[in-house]
Amino acid sequence: MVNDAPSPWNIANIVTMIRIAMVPFFAWALLVEGGDDTTWRLVATAIFVVAAISDKVDGYLARSRGLITDLGKLLDPIADKLLIGAALILLWIPLGELPWWIPVVILVRELGITFMRMGMLKYEVMPASRGGKLKTVLQAVAISLFLLPREGLDWLTVIAWIVLLAAFVVTVVTGLEYAYQGWKIRRDARAGASNP
């Protein structure tokens, strides 16, 4: 019997791995001169945007070329969380541009759902939902706006806050949805095991 499953070492997964590798370069660029250097702030923003867009690229490649793998389903959200997490932590602690509760709630949700999804692998792979993808887009747009040099641009800061608060709400709601979905998968798997 021929195994037609795509190799996990395909172009879509390689793009995801490159996104993961971009995170330390993004962090370094953002912290040059304590985050006050306009040029390096723009460089950091550009790296972040390219990395965020690569999420769409690897998804398109995986779907259009039949390269969807369990590794890709697992690595893709991890890459997103590393990028988003690094940005939120840096905007919070060294740069002081975000209040603590926004990164903390978002990161607790992201890490909690990631660990839950890993735990669910013995039952099935939980791919990202549409709500989860919307959450990622809103977070990426909000963070991109916060990364830009905004001195004297109060209107841009207002827009950044509106988008970030929308992302915050969607993050919490989708987190609860994932938790419920995970509970259902585990419940159904145990029910199936007890009733062979």
Side-chain angles (χ1 to χ4, degrees):
M1 183 175 176
V2 177
N3 183 5
D4 292 329
S7 165
W9 301 105
N10 60 58
I11 184 64
N13 289 349
I14 289 170
V15 170
T16 303
M17 293 173 194
I18 290 172
R19 181 158 79 257
I20 292 171
M22 293 173 77
V23 173
F25 294 100
F26 155 72
W28 176 81
L30 181 59
L31 295 178
V32 171
E33 299 292 332
D36 293 329
D37 186 286
T38 300
T39 300
W40 282 108
R41 192 84 185 216
L42 290 171
V43 169
T45 305
I47 294 172
F48 181 88
V49 169
V50 169
I53 290 173
S54 76
D55 180 37
K56 299 300 179 190
V57 173
D58 62 28
Y60 170 77
L61 290 171
R63 288 187 300 273
S64 65
R65 300 188 182 190
L67 299 176
I68 296 173
T69 63
D70 284 350
L71 177 64
K73 289 179 183 178
L74 194 59
L75 276 184
D76 187 61
I78 289 173
D80 295 337
K81 286 161 183 54
L82 283 173
L83 181 65
I84 298 292
L88 288 172
I89 289 170
L90 295 176
L91 285 168
W92 164 33
I93 297 176
L95 301 181
E97 297 181 24
L98 291 178
W100 67 269
W101 54 272
I102 288 182
V104 168
V105 171
I106 290 176
L107 294 178
V108 166
R109 181 270 192 207
E110 300 291 10
L111 292 173
I113 297 303
T114 298
F115 286 127
M116 185 197 74
R117 288 169 80 168
M118 288 180 178
M120 290 293 107
L121 287 176
K122 58 185 171 185
Y123 305 118
E124 65 180 79
V125 173
M126 294 176 64
S129 67
R130 287 186 179 180
K133 291 175 181 176
L134 172 63
K135 175 265 307 177
T136 301
V137 170
L138 287 172
Q139 288 179 355
V141 171
I143 290 170
S144 298
L145 293 172
F146 271 98
L147 291 173
L148 287 169
R150 289 169 285 111
E151 188 174 352
L153 299 174
D154 292 343
W155 61 271
L156 186 57
T157 299
V158 170
I159 292 172
W161 272 108
I162 290 170
V163 179
L164 183 60
L165 292 174
F168 184 85
V169 171
V170 175
T171 298
V172 172
V173 170
T174 56
L176 295 172
E177 289 175 346
Y178 274 124
Y180 176 69
Q181 182 186 358
W183 174 80
K184 275 182 60 180
I185 290 170
R186 190 167 181 225
R187 180 200 62 189
D188 294 347
R190 287 187 168 185
S194 62
N195 299 299

